[in-house]
């Protein structure tokens, strides 16, 4: 087995989820990522914990969804019971075909998400991590050879996470006590939001592997202005290009896209919370140096900001602060490398992708 796979597995088990003896651990992976599932299970066994491994087929899930009536969907109580009894959850992503779900009706996918929200809620209360196996389908989507993509993934995943945490903590200390954030990019994005009383989280490879961002939650009713997401979004195998949102009093009141605008509409129509922002994230992983059509990596790029419509991340919303609830959470990216800046309480803290604590910053 590739030693980089074993290192990846050790990071998942020891750093991201901190598995302990006697833990009950769920591991879900696609068949193409079996090597990583094997390595994770092996390390769990060495520690003395219990592993339940599921190799989940995207083709089978597509077949189920296409043959089902959405009105028959219900929360799978057996899976919910298992999640509730689990101590830690490992989700591995990887595709032979990244467009496998592209011909499932959007209304079916939205209905499926809604009934499975209790599983998501239960998972959020556990130690969990989502990560990526460098599968051929993902390499093809990123327009790389399989070998090149493997190197890209492992450079981003197998790194010094303590050093990354210290680098990102500088941005946490700026954003955490802040009241207002403004994001400006060219003539197409000028967005303000309150983050007063919200918590800024330092993501250094725990719940997301790779990590490499700091994130918080906007006050749901505070978002004003417009934003053009100039990086594509891949949703269920289909690309949304140049997604545009305009906000008033926190709610999306106008939207469009250059490609697959109907898919963007279906996201926003998931429920009431899907028309509000649940996350503001700032990418800080410099080892992710190119766009690969994979949000797990793309949102961590150092010259980007991402915003998510839908469910807020509970960790970023302290008790008593307004929490945006939704069955969906969809990240979209703004390139901040040129003609762009981030203001925090009126002070520019990033300009053209460089932070004020980095060399090359121009205030």
């Amino acid at each position: 087995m590739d030693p980089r796979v074993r290192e990846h597995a050790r990071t998942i088990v020891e750093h991201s989820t901190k598995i302990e003896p006697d833990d009950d651990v769920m591991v879900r992976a696609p068949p193409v990522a079996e090597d990583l599932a094997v390595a994770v299970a092996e390390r769990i066994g060495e520690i003395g914990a219990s592993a339940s491994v599921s190799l989940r087929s995207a083709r089978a899930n597509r077949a189920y969804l296409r043959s089902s009536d959405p009105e028959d969907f219900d929360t799978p109580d057996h899976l919910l019971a298992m999640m509730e009894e689990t101590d830690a959850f490992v989700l591995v992503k990887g595709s032979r075909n990244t467009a496998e779900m592209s011909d499932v009706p959007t209304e079916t996918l939205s209905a499926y998400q809604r009934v499975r929200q209790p599983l998501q809620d239960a998972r959020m209360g556990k130690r969990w991590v989502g990560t990526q196996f460098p599968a051929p389908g993902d390499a093809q989507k990123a327009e790389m050879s399989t070998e090149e993509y493997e190197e890209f993934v492992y450079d981003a995943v197998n790194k010094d996470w303590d050093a990354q945490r210290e680098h990102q903590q500088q941005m946490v200390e700026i954003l955490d006590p802040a009241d207002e954030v403004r994001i400006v990019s060219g003539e197409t994005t000028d967005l303000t939001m309150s983050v007063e009383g919200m918590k800024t989280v330092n993501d250094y490879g725990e719940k997301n592997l790779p990590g490499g961002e700091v994130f918080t939650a906007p006050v749901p009713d505070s978002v004003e202005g417009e934003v053009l997401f100039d990086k594509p979004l891949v949703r269920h195998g289909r690309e949304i290009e140049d997604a545009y949102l305009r906000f008033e009093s926190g709610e999306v009141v106008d939207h469009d896209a250059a490609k697959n605008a109907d898919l963007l509409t279906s996201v926003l129509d998931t429920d009431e919370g899907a028309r509000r922002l649940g996350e503001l994230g700032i990418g800080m992983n410099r080892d992710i140096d190119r766009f690969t059509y994979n949000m797990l990596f793309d949102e961590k790029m150092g010259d980007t900001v991402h915003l998510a419509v839908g469910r807020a991340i509970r960790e970023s919303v302290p008790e008593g602060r307004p929490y945006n609830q939704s069955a969906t959470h969809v990240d979209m990216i703004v390139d901040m490398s040129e003609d762009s800046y981030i203001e925090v309480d009126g002070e520019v803290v990033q300009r053209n992708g460089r932070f004020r604590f980095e060399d090359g910053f121009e205030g």
Side-chain angles (χ1 to χ4, degrees), residues 26-42:
M26 289 177 63
V27 181
R28 182 189 299 166
V32 72
E34 185 178 15
D35 275 1
L36 182 55
V38 169
V40 168
E42 182 178 58

Side-chain angles (χ1 to χ4, degrees), residues 159 164 284-289 302-303 353-355 358:
K159 60 184 295 178
Q164 186 70 29
M284 300 185 68
N285 189 335
R286 296 289 184 198
D287 285 318
I288 301 173
D289 58 1
D303 297 345
R354 306 305 294 182
F355 296 98
E358 290 183 310

Side-chain angles (χ1 to χ4, degrees), residues 1 20 29-30 33 36 52 75 105 223 230 235 249 278 329 349 356-357:
M1 183 179 292
E20 299 178 351
L36 182 55
S52 173
T75 301
V223 184
D230 46 10
R235 185 74 175 161
S249 300
H329 177 99
V349 300
R356 74 179 190 189
F357 45 82

Side-chain angles (χ1 to χ4, degrees), residues 178-181 192-198 217-220 222-223 321:
D179 291 331
E180 186 177 86
V181 177
T192 60
M193 65 197 73
S194 171
V195 293
E196 182 182 3
M198 298 303 194
V219 176
S222 72
V223 184
R321 298 300 293 154

